[in-house]
Amino acid sequence: MADQGVVSAEPRPAARGVPGPLGWAAAFVVLTALVAATAEAGAWFVPFIVGVAAGVASLRWRRMVVLAVFAAVAGWAIPMWLLALRDLPAGATARAIASLAGLPPYAAVTIVATLLLAALQALAGAWLTRALLPRPRP
């Protein structure tokens, strides 16, 4: 007879190869450092590459895309924050970029738009990878 949805009282065994909290934190720190270093060097496209890698890894670990999106946003936020800490005119530059882009001339708008673009790049890379790779059979 078919399984009627009976739930066993026995605890489920831990899945093999699933990283623990320390593994997820280490992956976040590594991805954030990678994106921050390359953003500082001018490689604006690296969140897309991180998203592609997360799409491949998400075939095995479900939360990897979310982790990559947050790492891309944090990786782009760190260089912008460091510019402000160095007393460079980051706010004035952000206002000028906002006005050139047709956005309201506020620094916060440009910063949010930049971080949103990093998140969208990571999501687009993950989506493209998941669309092209075959899904594993259960």
Side-chain angles (χ1 to χ4, degrees):
M1 190 180 265
D3 184 14
Q4 299 293 324
V6 177
V7 179
S8 172
E10 298 175 18
R12 290 178 46 188
R16 289 185 177 171
V18 175
L22 194 58
W24 288 111
F28 177 78
V29 168
V30 167
L31 287 176
T32 301
L34 174 73
V35 172
T38 54
E40 186 73 27
W44 55 268
F45 53 87
V46 173
F48 180 80
I49 296 171
V50 168
V52 168
V56 171
S58 71
L59 295 174
R60 183 172 175 136
W61 302 299
R62 289 185 174 180
R63 297 184 200 124
M64 188 52 98
V65 173
V66 175
L67 179 105
V69 169
F70 283 125
V73 170
W76 268 95
I78 290 171
M80 290 191 295
W81 181 55
L82 290 176
L83 287 174
L85 286 179
R86 292 180 194 148
D87 289 333
L88 294 174
T93 304
R95 284 190 294 278
I97 291 170
S99 65
L100 290 172
L103 299 171
Y106 302 111
V109 172
T110 305
I111 292 169
V112 169
T114 302
L115 298 179
L116 181 63
L117 286 174
L120 289 175
Q121 283 185 31
L123 285 172
W127 171 79
L128 181 64
T129 304
R130 292 297 302 261
L132 295 177
L133 289 179
R135 302 214 194 304
R137 300 264 178 205

